[in-house]
Amino acid sequence: MAAIQLQQGERLIGQGMMAYWEPVWGHSCDTCSGTVFVTTQRVCFCLSMLHSVEFELALSEIRGFATGRHLFFTKVVLYDWSGKTFTLTGFPVKKLQGWLKQAGVQKIGE
């Protein structure tokens, strides 16, 4: 599993293997597998194959998150303040919701 370099004073809240659904042309998406990291300062998604960061959001950049379903899968969608979305699915999706709440990210619609 890939790892991120923690900054001074930063603590890891949780991490897990997930899939990131990146929109393509507005109506389709590419799926990338990797590891999501939730810390006391940010949320990162690192690609498994390339060991590179696909996205990194400071907690202050995240407006909130919502949950939903895509076919048979539960998904978590992160919303940033500019309106961009980041959709994650995978086995630890329930844990991800808890990690985000622990980091202070609000669930939208509650």
Side-chain angles (χ1 to χ4, degrees), residues 68-84:
R69 295 195 62 76
H70 181 77
L71 300 174
F72 303 107
F73 304 103
T74 302
K75 63 183 179 179
V76 170
V77 182
L78 297 172
Y79 295 89
D80 73 5
W81 288 103
S82 70
K84 189 168 181 189

Side-chain angles (χ1 to χ4, degrees), residues 17-68:
M17 295 290 292
M18 299 197 82
Y20 168 54
W21 297 47
E22 187 171 20
V24 178
W25 302 108
H27 59 285
S28 182
C29 67
D30 281 339
T31 305
C32 309
S33 64
T35 304
V36 66
F37 297 89
V38 179
T39 76
T40 53
Q41 296 179 13
R42 59 194 163 138
V43 175
C44 300
F45 184 83
C46 297
L47 297 173
S48 294
M49 298 290 285
L50 304 174
H51 303 289
S52 64
V53 176
E54 181 68 18
F55 71 80
E56 180 175 341
L57 297 167
L59 295 180
S60 62
E61 295 177 287
I62 303 172
R63 183 169 57 94
F65 75 94
T67 58

